[in-house]
């Protein structure tokens, strides 16, 4: 997954996850496959998200499940990354797929009409993707500064807590932007 050599001769990677697995002894090709593999449960969960959003009560159960799945994957990658790789990548894929499916569904469900849906979508996705694009760089910097994966994973878990708090608000059955 190397994309170039950095100024100091270190390799720059497209994603942090294969690097974590490689650092624990997994081959380059297997580590890249594990990242790809996580997309399959992620797709299934994102397709299931609207159904779960409509049927699970209380409404916060679905985003909480997404957070718990992601947390399981992160903790697993920290404790036994290679031996449990398929399990951790399945949990991460399911959690991330469910989270993005719910997030996009909440944009529509929390808007009273198409005009407000567009405004909420622009704000939520614009800010969300701006923050998300800093993730791989930030994790890489934390990994370089700390020399290991404990600090980057701890930061991911802290971000997951913030995501869960935001999901609690988003899962409440009410409209936003209705007064403008």
């Amino acid at each position: 997954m190397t994309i170039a050599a950095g100024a100091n001769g270190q390799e720059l990677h497209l994603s942090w996850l294969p690097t974590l697995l490689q650092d624990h002894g997994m081959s380059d090709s297997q580590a890249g496959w594990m990242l790809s593999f996580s997309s399959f449960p992620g797709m299934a969960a994102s397709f299931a998200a609207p159904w779960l959003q409509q049927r699970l009560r209380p409404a916060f159960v679905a985003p909480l499940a997404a957070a718990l799945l992601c947390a399981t994957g992160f903790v697993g990658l920290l404790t036994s990354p290679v031996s449990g790789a398929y399990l951790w990548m399945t949990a991460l894929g399911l959690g991330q797929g469910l989270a993005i499916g719910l997030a996009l569904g909440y944009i529509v469900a929390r808007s009273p009409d198409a005009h407000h849906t567009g405004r909420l979508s622009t704000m939520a996705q614009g800010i969300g993707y701006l923050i998300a694009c800093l993730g791989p760089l930030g994790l890489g910097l934390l990994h370089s500064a700390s020399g290991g994966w404990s600090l980057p994973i701890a930061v991911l878990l802290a971000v997951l807590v913030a995501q869960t708090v935001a999901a609690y608000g988003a899962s409440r059955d009410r409209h936003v932007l209705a007064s403008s």
Side-chain angles (χ1 to χ4, degrees), residues 1 9 14 29 36 55 65 69 76 97 108 142 144 146 151 153 166 168:
M1 305 256 6
L14 185 62
S29 60
S36 298
R55 286 164 183 80
L69 284 163
V108 176
L142 287 172
S144 294
S146 68
L151 181 59
I153 296 292
Y168 176 76

Side-chain angles (χ1 to χ4, degrees), residues 12 17 22 24 29 43-44 54-55 62 68 71 76 79 81 84 89 94 110 112 129 142 147 162 165 179:
L12 300 174
L17 195 113
Q22 291 166 345
H24 287 88
S29 60
M43 286 186 285
Q54 292 294 317
R55 286 164 183 80
L68 291 173
T79 59
M89 298 313 299
L94 288 170
R110 302 303 170 244
Y129 285 116
L142 287 172
V165 170
S179 63

Side-chain angles (χ1 to χ4, degrees), residues 114-134:
H115 174 73
H116 288 94
T117 299
R119 292 177 64 194
L120 182 58
S121 178
T122 300
M123 185 271 307
Q125 291 187 66
I127 293 171
Y129 285 116
L130 178 64
I131 294 168
C133 76
L134 299 174

